[in-house]
Amino acid sequence: MEVVIVPDAAGGGELIAEAVARLLRHKPDAVLGVATGSTPLPVYRALAARVRSGEVDTSRARIAQLDEYVGLPADHPESYRSVLRREVLEPLAIPMSAFLGPDGTAEDVPGACAAYERALAAAGGVDLQLLGIGTDGHIGFNEPCSSLTSRTRIKTLTEQTRSDNARFFGGDVAQVPQHVVTQGIGTILEARHLVLLATGEGKADAVAATVEGPVAAICPASALQLHPHATVVTDEAAASKLKLAPYFRHSYANKPGWQGI
Ligand code: GLP
């Protein structure tokens, strides 16, 4: 696993946007796996600037959703489909026809999860999956003790995650759905490149457990250690509990520029 410590969130956004730009230059119809939450927003902003300047061509790119609330109407402003339309598809000039996502409103939730797995496979899999991380180490909505080989399925949120996410629902935790569908950890591990961005001191414990702890379901993000191409990008605050921070800095500073992340 590579760990890149950047000065701040904007620096992380630029670094990852550059990696996406590079991917799209080599593979214009790449499938980009995207995450919600506040953390990835600087990535989307940096990418949108490159699209506007003509530096990145997204006309053939495809977008794959990581997770979704169960039971929120698709047009609810906080359904992840709506969030991604607003934060990713529109700014990157990508049409909904290029969007893949699970149906959080389906009556047959397991059927919708299986259909999403099939759609991802039919699209050729995810080329680059951007991830955030929960304060409890979750990726997507794979809460602690999710199977490390899990596939897309329904999950029940922890009260911690519901309270973390209440800020998107006017601060009212009662409005945050109890259930979600999420790509499983096994599904996520099939993406060809995993890029996890973590910013802020609140993520420092989760980042330390992810990078330097054992591979264990109690910290779902630790499964990234099993992936041959996983990059963890953190700002200084989120990296503050990493014992090997000096090594990660040295290693990245001496990396050949042509390698990218
Ligand atoms: C939600 C999302 C995750 C995201 C996490 C962290 O739970 N399902 O994909 O990584 O929030 O969010 P934030 O980046 O806002 O801290």
Side-chain angles (χ1 to χ4, degrees):
M1 177 187 304
E2 177 174 40
V3 179
V4 184
I5 302 171
V6 293
D8 52 27
E14 290 295 333
L15 181 76
I16 297 171
E18 198 40 54
V20 173
R22 199 179 166 118
L23 169 65
L24 287 172
R25 277 196 288 274
H26 288 103
K27 187 174 182 184
D29 65 346
V31 177
L32 306 175
V34 292
T36 49
S38 321
T39 311
L41 296 178
V43 178
Y44 305 143
R45 273 197 285 274
L47 258 178
R50 284 166 171 75
V51 171
R52 282 195 302 273
S53 71
E55 196 189 318
V56 172
D57 177 8
T58 49
S59 60
R60 294 175 57 201
R62 292 167 292 164
I63 297 292
Q65 185 174 357
L66 187 57
D67 48 13
E68 181 58 280
Y69 290 114
V70 168
L72 284 190
D75 61 356
H76 187 288
E78 293 307 325
S79 79
Y80 280 174
R81 187 173 291 242
S82 296
V83 170
L84 291 174
R85 185 189 293 130
R86 218 162 48 228
E87 308 286 2
V88 179
L89 293 154
E90 288 172 3
L92 300 188
I94 298 176
M96 274 313 274
S97 56
F99 178 78
L100 301 165
D103 181 359
T105 65
E107 282 199 2
D108 173 11
V109 176
C113 293
Y116 188 44
E117 286 276 342
R118 285 195 299 276
L120 289 172
V126 173
D127 289 290
L128 185 153
Q129 177 65 57
L130 179 59
L131 298 165
I133 185 168
T135 51
D136 59 4
H138 73 239
I139 48 175
F141 269 134
N142 292 282
E143 296 285 30
C145 296
S146 288
S147 158
L148 300 184
T149 61
S150 49
R151 311 301 305 185
T152 303
R153 70 214 181 291
I154 190 166
K155 288 292 289 183
T156 302
L157 293 180
T158 63
E159 288 306 294
Q160 173 71 56
T161 299
R162 291 183 74 224
S163 100
D164 286 349
N165 287 2
R167 69 190 192 280
F168 296 112
F169 292 83
D172 182 4
V173 73
Q175 301 302 311
V176 183
Q178 301 264 13
H179 296 112
V180 292
V181 290
T182 180
Q183 285 190 34
I185 298 175
T187 317
I188 292 170
L189 289 176
E190 283 176 5
R192 286 178 269 279
H193 184 192
L194 299 179
V195 181
L196 186 148
L197 177 61
T199 53
E201 209 182 331
K203 302 293 173 70
D205 285 320
V207 167
T210 298
V211 174
E212 295 176 346
V215 176
I218 192 71
C219 177
S222 67
L224 267 68
Q225 295 178 33
L226 299 170
H227 195 282
H229 190 186
T231 311
V232 174
V233 180
T234 73
D235 67 356
E236 294 286 348
S240 59
K241 296 195 174 165
L242 289 175
K243 294 193 194 73
L244 288 177
Y247 168 65
F248 297 135
R249 285 184 221 283
H250 172 80
S251 168
Y252 187 67
N254 290 288
K255 187 176 185 182
W258 53 264
Q259 267 190 311
I261 58 170

